[in-house]
Structures are given as C-alpha cells and as structure tokens.
Amino acid sequence: MDHALRTPGRDHPEVTVHRATVEGTARKALLHAAATADLLVLGARRGRGHAVGLELGRIAHAALHHAPCPVVIVPERV
C-alpha cells in the first residue's frame, strides 16, 4: 500500500489518506469506515472481452447502496 500511494501522495500533499488494517468482512469494514469518511474510493475491473463498462462486485455494489458518504468507483488501468 505504501508503494502504491507514494507517487500520488507526493503529487497531492493536500490529500489526507488514512490507512488501517482491520479484521472482518470487506463489506462490514468499508461501511464502518465510510461512517466517518468524506469519500469512499473503491477500485473496479473493466469488463472482460468486448464488454463495456465496469464489473462491480458485491462489495462495490453494497458500498454504492449503503455507504453514508459519497462513493467513487475507479476503474483499473489497462
């Protein structure tokens, strides 16, 4: 995680990122964190083959419907 955030952190020092390791299901942990967050950012895979759009899994779907803060879905780079 530190490696992945090194360049964006250097390029955008005004953005505060909180990292935490938690136990439990991803859905429960993300929704709990979203309760005090200004924004929840999640990743998503691009559609396979010739499909257009994103493949949203159960976790991203739950966050979009139940998070008490805005949710951003960021597609993977291809």
Side-chain angles (χ1 to χ4, degrees):
M1 172 102 50
D2 289 334
H3 178 70
L5 293 173
R6 187 171 297 127
T7 299
R10 186 177 56 241
D11 294 345
H12 302 283
E14 71 281 4
V15 176
T16 302
V17 177
H18 299 279
R19 300 175 192 116
T21 303
V22 297
E23 291 188 29
T25 65
R27 179 185 187 276
K28 185 175 180 179
L30 288 170
L31 291 177
H32 178 73
T36 58
D38 294 324
L39 178 68
L40 181 63
V41 181
L42 302 174
R45 294 184 175 143
R46 295 264 185 206
R48 294 184 188 131
H50 299 290
V52 175
L54 300 174
E55 289 184 14
L56 295 183
R58 294 182 311 202
I59 305 306
H61 192 264
L64 285 170
H65 288 279
H66 301 290
C69 66
V71 178
V72 174
I73 306 292
V74 180
E76 69 179 337
R77 291 183 186 182
V78 288

